[in-house]
């Protein structure tokens, strides 16, 4: 392999073949030393035999992210010039990749993440997008010309415009379609054509942006922002179409009262609740995808579930406390692990499906006056007993009218995390679900189950674990509104960690599981200095 000097790369000066052989011999010596000892975690998750052999030539990754090789009997100068391939291609592992990834993140071509030494598919895709933006040959390979262009002060930031093609264009078109700016689903082609340009201009006009028809940083960020103004049926409108979907929301239990065709606050909140349970972007609009989901026979009905906070949850908790299923002082309005287990016990004792969610059947039973009270397990038998309850509740109904959806309780799940600690209960279930996705590819905008970006990964895992959470970007996770905030030092297994532009799931033992753009896949790695420096918030889901 032809080698170039890192510091002379921009001048294109080559290092001699002798230096190359010396470098390879050094790597071979390091391989033998690691084979004799125990290999530690690296910043690359190995899934193939070829990758295993490649990673053996890389030093173990410490929490300080130091990847300089430590060779017995040789003093390593941290300031010494490093060698790198002339062409960085998929599979290359070298310290210069970290610099490249950081630059691509700064320019908006990669999702912000902890840079690594691994040149994977996600890095290659980012280079393709850069090359497209720069009018270069789109091969995904970083040679001298591409490197110089990326590192130049005049390097262009990420943007998509007329004539561009790619999967990122298709993601943008899909969002424009569901916001009502593209009229037909067939317009989602992956080709930025005149229709797409006109749709972008309309979005920019309605949202008071500069009108140029290009999806740059500001327009791209707005697409998933809470401040986005759609071009579809929205708050304040009145029509027969609104009435039609109000009737559907009432039938599914998301809305109470009569359908009047007026798109008010109650209708908007009901739409958001529906979207959060049916794998939709939660924006409160009656976009094409939301209408299609409502029309589907598989639309999920309303039920209170893990992770929600409302007056209705507090009413549920008070009813559970009345019949002995939880302590009255725990009625906080937040549906946490204690509430979920109380609901499961109530459902088991009263002949209902024990799914830990509170829909119409569970609420109907609690309000019926024909409730079996909870009696604590006997010390001698270890079993609990139930007694009939004849008193009727004076609490008001939640106004919901549909059966609950099912979800796994995860009560018996456990996960053996880093440091030998075992995490049980819902947190263990969440980490087990997250662990099952390790190795899945990173794809920007993907929400699973086979591919993810960072926010899509957290969203999918939490919903699989039965936690009622809406889809949020990493910026949205800075203030989700209902979870308990914790500091970096307080993080524990099952918590959500938010850093600048990135989000992951704490797995215990000072580790995190996340969909990593820099690794190009879902990985399990250490919470090192990078995470501490870029830390924004931690959220306790299971309290």
């Amino acid at each position: 392999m032809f080698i170039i000097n890192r510091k002379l790369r921009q001048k294109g000066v080559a290092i001699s073949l002798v230096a190359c052989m010396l470098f390879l011999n050094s790597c071979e010596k390091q391989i033998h030393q690691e084979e004799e000892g125990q290999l530690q975690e690296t910043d690359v998750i190995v899934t193939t035999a070829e990758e295993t052999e490649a990673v053996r030539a890389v030093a173990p990754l410490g929490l300080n992210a130091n990847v300089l090789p430590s060779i017995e009997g040789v003093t390593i100068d941290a300031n010494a010039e490093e060698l790198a391939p002339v062409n960085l291609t998929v599979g290359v592992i070298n310290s210069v990749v970290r610099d490249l990834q950081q630059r691509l993140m700064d320019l908006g071509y990669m999702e912000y993440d902890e840079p690594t030494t691994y040149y994977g598919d996600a890095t290659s895709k980012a280079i393709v997008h850069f090359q497209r933006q720069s009018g270069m040959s789109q091969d995904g390979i970083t040679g001298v010309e591409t490197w110089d262009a990326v590192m130049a002060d005049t390097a262009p930031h990420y943007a998509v415009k007329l004539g561009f093609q790619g999967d990122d264009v298709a993601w943008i078109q899909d969002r424009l379609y569901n916001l009502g700016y593209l009229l037909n689903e067939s317009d989602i082609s992956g080709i930025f054509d005149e229709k797409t340009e006109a749709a972008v201009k309309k979005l920019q006009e309605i949202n008071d942006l500069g009108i140029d028809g290009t999806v740059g940083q500001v327009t791209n960020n707005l697409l998933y922002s809470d401040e986005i103004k759609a071009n579809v049926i929205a708050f304040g409108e009145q029509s027969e179409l609104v009435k039609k979907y109000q009737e559907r929301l009432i039938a599914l239990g998301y809305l109470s009262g009569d359908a009047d065709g007026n798109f008010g606050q109650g209708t908007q909140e009901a739409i958001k609740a529906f979207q959060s349970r049916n794998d939709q972007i939660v924006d409160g609009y009656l976009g094409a995808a939301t209408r299609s989901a409502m029309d589907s026979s598989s639309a999920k009905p309303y039920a209170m579930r893990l992770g929600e906070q409302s007056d209705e949850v507090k009413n549920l908790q008070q009813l559970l406390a009345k019949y002995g299923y939880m302590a009255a002082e725990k009625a906080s309005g937040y549906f946490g692990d204690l509430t979920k287990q109380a609901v499961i016990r109530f459902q088991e004792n009263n002949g209902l499906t024990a799914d830990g969610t509170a829909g119409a059947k569970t609420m109907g039973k609690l309000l019926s006056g024909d409730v079996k009270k909870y009696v604590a397990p006997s010390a001698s038998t270890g079993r609990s007993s139930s007694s009939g309850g004849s008193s009727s509740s004076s609490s008001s109904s939640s106004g919901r009218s549909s059966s609950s959806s099912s979800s796994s309780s995860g009560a018996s799940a456990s996960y053996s995390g880093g440091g030998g600690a075992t995490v049980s209960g819902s947190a263990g279930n969440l980490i087990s679900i997250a662990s099952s996705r390790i190795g899945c590819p990173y794809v920007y905008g993907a929400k699973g189950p086979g591919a993810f970006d960072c926010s899509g990964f957290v969203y999918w895992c939490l919903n699989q674990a039965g936690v009622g959470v809406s889809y949020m970007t990493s910026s949205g996770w800075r203030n989700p509104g209902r979870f308990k905030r914790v500091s970096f030092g307080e993080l524990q297994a099952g918590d959500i960690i938010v850093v600048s532009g990135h989000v992951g799931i704490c797995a215990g033992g000072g580790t995190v599981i996340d969909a990593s753009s820099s690794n190009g896949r879902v990985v399990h790695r250490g919470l090192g200095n990078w995470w501490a420096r870029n830390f924004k918030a931690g959220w306790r889901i299971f309290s």
Side-chain angles (χ1 to χ4, degrees), residues 281-347:
I281 300 297
V282 181
D283 54 22
Y285 294 120
L286 272 175
T290 297
R291 296 198 303 272
S292 177
M294 284 190 191
D295 291 334
S296 172
S297 60
S298 60
K300 296 177 183 177
Y302 175 84
M304 285 176 277
R305 57 182 182 169
L306 192 66
E308 294 186 15
Q309 186 169 9
S310 67
D311 290 339
E312 288 180 328
V313 172
K314 189 170 184 177
N315 181 48
L316 164 68
Q317 293 168 329
Q318 289 170 340
L319 289 170
L320 290 168
K322 175 180 178 178
Y323 294 111
Y325 289 92
M326 66 183 298
E329 62 269 19
K330 298 296 183 180
S332 63
Y334 175 70
F335 199 125
D337 234 7
L338 289 175
T339 303
K340 180 178 177 179
Q341 297 308 316
V343 170
I344 290 173
R345 286 193 295 269
F346 172 80
Q347 291 168 330

Side-chain angles (χ1 to χ4, degrees), residues 149-183:
V150 171
M151 295 300 176
D153 293 339
T154 56
H157 285 258
Y158 174 84
V160 181
K161 57 186 178 181
L162 185 65
F164 281 11
Q165 299 184 32
D167 51 3
D168 57 332
V169 175
W171 285 110
I172 291 169
Q173 290 172 326
D174 181 73
R175 186 64 177 142
L176 289 169
Y177 169 65
N178 285 298
L179 288 169
Y181 291 100
L182 279 176
L183 299 180

